[in-house]
Amino acid sequence: MRFDTRAVHTGNEPDELTGAVTPPIYTSSTFAQAKIGKTKGYEYSRSGNPTRARLERAVADLEGGKFGLAFSSGLAAETAVAGLLGHGDHVLICNDVYGGTFRLFNQVFSNFGVAFDRVDARDPESLERAVKPRTKMVWMESPTNPLMLVLDIRKVAKFARSRGLTLAVDNTFASPCLQNPLKLGATVVVHSTTKYIGGHSDLVGGAVVTSDRGVYDKLKFLQNATGGVPGPFDCYLALRGLRTIHLRMRRHSENASAIVEVLSKDRARVAEVRYPFLKGSENYRVARRQMSAGGGMLAFRVKGGYPAASRFLESLKVFTMGESLGGVESLAEHPARMTHASIPEAERRRLGITDDLIRLSVGVEDPDDLVEDVRTALKAAVPVP
Ligand SMILES: Cc1ncc(COP(=O)(O)O)c(C=O)c1O
């Protein structure tokens, strides 16, 4: 079956017991045992829960993977994947990654003896140069947060495979609807389901998908042993979100493209636009090969630095200023002072997360209202005689 049909049905099959078309939410923390150790597949909801199992199956299916695991947040999912590493191991972290991912390796796993280096995945030499005898994993995002770089997943996967490394790809920005990293050679895919999978800004969650049985067994162990599991209500919300992901992603992409066009034309006020499907950009060629549409995320640099950026954000009426992304409503934020403030300033500057950078999560409202909002706020932010 095709993606749109699977999005509606996988994990949402009618309840076997009653035929309920919307399956029940299993809130139980524990499950009755007929004899000691004789269960119906579930014993305690940290180790397994029927509603969570439905979500895990759905995310795995939509990513084209064999095994899925759901977590209480994207960072809990990342923590499980990083838990595959041990003392003395080394990770290559590609280009810009979500600030919380950097913090996880820089301030948490470094305390357990896991070392890392940052590499520019656009340059294969950079990966070769940075690899060490104890390198075990490559971690990447594409498109990246917040700079919207599109990294060639196939190329990085080829490198990882040639060195026997696990490749973890954070697919949060593209969603399983627009890009499937496992099909491009990744070992594991990570999601913050808080974003496009949930789709309505009403849950915090995470997921990991892999087709590697050995990796899955370790992650399943870590999920239970560290305990960062989602509650059944959040699993239900994520499952409900998935049923419309194909419709939402289409509209997110159309609306973002309309805004990209407006921003690209306003050269008096906008210094640079970053969007995977921006024709003529360095991203475009790779994006067309690995994504089916550009998605709802974009970033741009406003002329006039921080004062202009803050005026823009404060002038928006339809967009809400706020962190996070991937919901039906449009959001705007200032990465340097909001989502990526946990990255040290010098590192932010080196990466290009500067004070003129604005990130938009374009929602599914009427495109004309969004375009008008952006145009009006830009005019307020950068007066041009
Ligand atoms: C790309 C990306 N990965 C991971 C995360 C972390 O997810 P969560 O906030 O659900 O822990 C985020 C959060 O913004 C993100 O943007």
Side-chain angles (χ1 to χ4, degrees):
M1 270 188 289
R2 293 167 181 81
F3 185 92
D4 295 10
T5 310
R6 289 187 285 124
V8 174
H9 292 291
T10 311
N12 277 296
E13 299 85 357
D15 178 38
E16 282 177 3
L17 213 57
T18 62
V21 167
T22 300
I25 304 168
Y26 284 90
T27 57
S28 194
S29 60
T30 189
F31 298 83
Q33 306 192 12
K35 289 185 179 170
I36 293 174
K38 188 168 184 318
T39 68
K40 293 183 175 174
Y42 297 97
E43 56 204 36
Y44 182 60
S45 274
R46 171 162 37 75
S47 37
N49 170 281
T51 310
R52 192 171 94 214
R54 283 178 174 269
L55 173 62
E56 294 177 332
R57 194 152 44 79
V59 179
D61 182 54
L62 296 180
E63 274 294 3
K66 287 191 183 144
F67 312 106
L69 290 162
F71 292 86
S72 56
S73 69
L75 276 172
E78 295 188 23
T79 300
V81 176
L84 296 171
L85 302 163
H87 192 274
D89 287 344
H90 176 253
V91 193
L92 299 178
I93 301 182
C94 295
N95 300 74
D96 69 316
V97 287
Y98 169 60
T101 303
F102 178 77
R103 183 178 55 200
L104 183 68
F105 283 103
N106 193 38
Q107 293 185 47
V108 181
F109 277 88
S110 60
N111 295 331
F112 303 121
V114 176
F116 71 91
D117 276 303
R118 302 200 72 151
V119 287
D120 185 348
R122 290 167 300 179
D123 167 19
E125 293 289 303
S126 150
L127 290 161
E128 288 291 350
R129 270 195 311 272
V131 78
K132 296 188 162 126
R134 290 298 300 265
T135 305
K136 292 283 168 60
M137 184 181 283
V138 182
W139 189 287
M140 70 184 292
E141 282 176 30
S142 185
T144 67
N145 181 5
L147 292 168
M148 301 305 300
L149 294 175
V150 177
L151 305 178
D152 193 329
I153 298 173
R154 251 193 212 96
K155 231 189 231 170
V156 181
K158 195 170 158 208
F159 163 79
R161 219 174 14 253
S162 73
R163 299 298 193 129
L165 311 177
T166 299
L167 173 61
V169 179
D170 184 335
N171 199 29
T172 299
F173 267 35
S175 91
C177 182
L178 305 187
Q179 175 175 276
N180 297 129
L182 294 180
K183 293 181 186 161
L184 302 168
T187 323
V188 292
V189 175
V190 181
H191 279 284
S192 165
T193 56
T194 315
K195 313 296 170 9
Y196 287 109
I197 288 179
H200 296 76
S201 304
D202 55 6
L203 72 97
V204 172
V208 180
V209 179
T210 183
S211 288
D212 183 314
R213 177 91 227 186
V215 170
Y216 169 72
D217 287 344
K218 285 183 197 158
L219 288 169
K220 174 83 189 147
F221 167 80
L222 286 161
Q223 183 195 42
N224 184 49
T226 59
V229 293
F233 285 104
D234 281 350
C235 292
Y236 161 74
L237 285 173
L239 266 169
R240 188 160 79 163
L242 276 177
R243 306 192 90 169
T244 55
I245 194 166
H246 51 301
L247 303 174
R248 288 185 284 108
M249 292 316 293
R250 207 169 295 149
R251 184 62 174 258
H252 283 301
S253 301
E254 287 165 9
N255 284 359
S257 300
I259 291 173
V260 163
E261 201 178 320
V262 168
L263 292 170
S264 304
K265 283 186 181 148
D266 196 343
R267 290 174 193 224
R269 297 182 177 88
V270 176
E272 188 188 8
V273 184
R274 290 174 166 263
Y275 184 64
F277 271 36
L278 178 60
K279 285 199 180 101
S281 68
E282 63 167 325
N283 283 339
Y284 187 58
R285 205 170 33 86
V286 182
R288 287 301 299 244
R289 279 207 304 267
Q290 63 190 31
M291 296 174 74
S292 58
M297 297 303 297
L298 67 94
F300 68 99
R301 295 188 194 283
V302 66
K303 289 189 177 172
Y306 182 68
S310 61
R311 270 198 305 274
F312 174 83
L313 289 168
E314 285 161 20
S315 305
L316 291 164
K317 296 278 188 294
V318 182
F319 279 79
T320 301
M321 200 198 317
E323 302 197 3
S324 200
L325 61 114
V328 287
E329 68 292 312
S330 291
L331 296 175
E333 68 112 5
H334 190 261
R337 308 225 176 172
M338 294 169 68
T339 47
H340 289 66
S342 60
I343 299 178
E345 193 185 341
E347 178 72 359
R348 276 203 313 265
R349 227 179 290 124
R350 193 183 67 75
L351 293 168
I353 306 170
T354 46
D355 270 351
D356 57 353
L357 187 74
I358 290 168
R359 190 187 78 179
L360 301 182
S361 168
V362 182
V364 299
E365 300 93 337
D366 188 294
D368 292 342
D369 287 332
L370 296 179
V371 161
E372 202 175 295
D373 199 30
V374 166
R375 270 209 184 105
T376 310
L378 264 182
K379 282 183 187 152
V382 190
V384 173

